[in-house]
Amino acid sequence: MSKETASQAIDASRYDAELAELVAAWNARDERRFVAQLDALAATHDHMLLKNVGELTRGIETALERFCVDARVEDLSRKEVPDARVSLEHVLKLTDEAAHRTMDLVEQSHVPAESILQGVNHVLPNWQQWREGELSEEQRVALLGEMSGFLAAAHENAERIRANLSEVLLAQGYQDLSGQIIRSVMNLIDEIQEALAGMVALSRGQEVIYRAREPVPNGACGPQVPGVAKGQAVGGQDEVDLLLSGLNL
Amino acid sequence: MNKDLKFLVVDDFSTMRRIVKNVLQELGYSRIEEADDGKTALPMLQAGNFDFLITDWNMPGMQGIDLLRAVRADGSLAKLPVLMLTAEAKREQIVEAAQAGVNGYVIKPFTAATLKEKLDKIFETLGMSG
């Protein structure tokens, strides 16, 4: 403010000097000097006017920048930060569920794996004896029966283990889903950082470098998060199929 | 069943590419290549005699929907079967993909059974032997 007052004072003294010169020319009836002084006075006036317009423009620009930053900061603080928190809670839930699902499947696989091992341990001594020709005919028939039972059980147990391993694999899909959510929160943090830097710059009367983010092209918005509105979404594969069958796909 | 079909799996998350690749292998397919976004995938498709494209939607670089449009606009690829495998679940997106010519749409998280069912359905519709 003190700078503005000083510049006004300087301009007032310029008017004083030029008016005094104009009056002196008028009193001396010096027409040439009077007209020249009149032009000089008009030029000073134009200069002052431009300067005021310049100051006004700068004021509007600052107000607009402040408005942009303020509006964005408000949007960030009222909606996007709370949404990000809900999204991160959802990531916690996804990772928790995936870890438990994986461990459940591993634990469930111990049973058939143990059963195969026990079966092997059970038939192995007799199998060894048979190879060494130490089994009677009666024992040999019993071994064949045991072997049939063992092979059938081993087949079933191996199928169970294989199915569990496939499920373990699919359970790792959480990394993609939670990764997409975390990435969007990271983008939000970048934007908050820029908005905060913009506010600090404004408060110091510096130029603002904050720019509003471009929306993501083609509307990709990542996984649906319960409690965070992201447009009208389907509830699962059945709804996708229903929607597509309506479109003849 | 034609287990010689050549697949391209496009997803920016390597974990998801691995999952899809493993499911395809369990189904008996062994010719599977990977790309991490549409920009990498398109030249591979143009050069590689692929029989099937499985793509994510949300990827940096070129998104899945743009890859789908590029495939449909390319004379030599226009008829390539495309399955979208994505977490994008907005109704308007599914309609958009259908209008762009997608052959199937599977929502993440998915099961191996769902992926198999959708592949079989596409093979059946297109008269391919999967």
Side-chain angles (χ1 to χ4, degrees):
Chain A
M1 281 297 131
S2 61
K3 205 169 138 194
E4 245 172 60
T5 321
S7 78
Q8 275 171 357
I10 289 164
D11 288 330
S13 68
R14 268 181 73 175
Y15 273 126
D16 281 346
E18 279 171 10
L19 275 171
E21 188 62 28
L22 189 71
V23 171
W26 176 255
N27 288 338
R29 295 292 186 267
D30 184 338
E31 192 184 343
R32 208 168 58 86
R33 215 174 102 215
F34 177 76
V35 171
Q37 201 48 45
L38 210 55
D39 287 344
L41 195 61
T44 301
H45 180 64
D46 285 350
H47 174 76
M48 290 270 290
L49 206 63
L50 278 175
K51 203 163 150 276
N52 286 340
V53 169
E55 271 164 17
L56 197 65
T57 310
R58 270 193 298 282
I60 290 170
E61 275 170 4
T62 311
L64 279 174
E65 281 163 358
R66 188 181 292 277
F67 175 73
C68 273
V69 174
D70 283 355
R72 190 65 193 122
V73 168
E74 189 181 351
D75 200 32
L76 287 170
S77 65
R78 284 172 64 120
K79 182 166 188 321
E80 296 191 29
V81 170
D83 277 358
R85 194 183 186 287
V86 174
S87 296
L88 288 180
E89 268 174 12
H90 186 62
V91 167
L92 268 185
K93 187 168 164 274
L94 283 178
T95 53
D96 180 75
E97 282 172 356
H100 280 296
R101 177 91 185 112
T102 303
M103 288 187 281
D104 286 348
L105 289 160
V106 169
E107 283 171 10
Q108 286 164 19
S109 301
H110 279 152
V111 179
E114 193 58 37
S115 169
I116 292 171
L117 203 60
Q118 278 177 7
V120 170
N121 289 337
H122 180 70
V123 295
L124 205 54
N126 287 343
W127 177 258
Q128 250 349 79
Q129 278 186 308
W130 175 70
R131 279 172 62 96
E132 287 158 18
E134 291 171 2
L135 287 189
S136 66
E137 181 59 22
E138 198 181 328
Q139 285 170 318
R140 201 179 64 83
V141 172
L143 174 64
L144 281 178
E146 279 172 11
M147 277 302 276
S148 301
F150 165 68
L151 289 174
H155 183 270
E156 197 180 308
N157 285 322
E159 287 282 10
R160 273 173 65 194
I161 294 170
R162 186 166 71 174
N164 286 350
L165 287 176
S166 298
E167 283 293 306
V168 165
L169 192 83
L170 280 154
Q172 309 316 305
Y174 83 92
Q175 200 273 334
D176 172 8
L177 299 179
S178 57
Q180 289 188 52
I181 296 171
I182 290 172
R183 206 179 263 167
S184 72
V185 174
M186 281 161 66
N187 287 338
L188 178 69
I189 289 172
D190 285 346
E191 206 183 342
I192 291 171
Q193 189 187 7
E194 273 184 40
L196 287 176
M199 288 179 78
V200 170
L202 274 175
S203 72
R204 290 179 180 162
Q206 293 165 342
E207 196 187 339
V208 178
I209 43 161
Y210 175 77
R211 295 175 306 278
R213 290 286 164 119
E214 303 268 323
V216 181
N218 292 323
C221 55
Q224 292 290 319
V225 176
V228 176
K230 282 187 187 174
Q232 216 190 356
V234 293
Q237 189 63 42
D238 289 348
E239 282 184 43
V240 176
D241 295 348
L242 200 66
L243 183 61
L244 289 179
S245 70
L247 298 164
N248 292 324
L249 195 79
Chain B
M1 278 180 54
N2 179 8
K3 297 302 178 190
D4 285 335
L5 290 181
K6 190 173 168 190
F7 285 80
L8 182 64
V9 177
V10 189
D11 200 305
D12 53 330
F13 280 87
S14 61
T15 45
M16 184 48 70
R17 294 200 301 271
R18 237 173 122 174
I19 292 169
V20 177
K21 194 174 173 178
N22 270 282
V23 173
L24 289 175
Q25 281 169 341
E26 275 182 38
L27 294 174
Y29 302 102
S30 55
R31 301 176 70 206
I32 307 155
E33 290 190 31
E34 301 175 28
D36 61 3
D37 84 327
K39 231 180 244 173
T40 325
L42 194 57
M44 287 175 78
L45 289 168
Q46 284 161 342
N49 288 322
F50 283 95
D51 301 300
F52 208 105
L53 169 63
I54 298 180
T55 181
D56 184 22
W57 182 315
N58 187 12
M59 296 178 285
M62 188 191 214
Q63 302 221 13
I65 187 76
D66 293 326
L67 176 62
L68 171 63
R69 290 198 179 104
V71 163
R72 291 290 174 253
D74 184 315
S76 63
L77 297 174
K79 295 212 159 92
L80 182 74
V82 180
L83 176 77
M84 209 150 226
L85 180 58
T86 173
E88 299 298 324
K90 281 201 294 191
R91 288 177 163 271
E92 61 193 64
Q93 290 175 302
I94 298 164
V95 172
E96 194 185 342
Q99 284 166 348
V102 83
N103 300 90
Y105 200 103
V106 174
I107 280 280
K108 293 176 185 171
F110 65 100
T111 64
T114 303
L115 187 60
K116 182 181 187 308
E117 181 196 320
K118 299 307 164 199
L119 288 175
D120 287 345
K121 195 177 168 209
I122 294 171
F123 295 145
E124 194 192 317
T125 311
L126 299 180
M128 294 167 76
S129 53

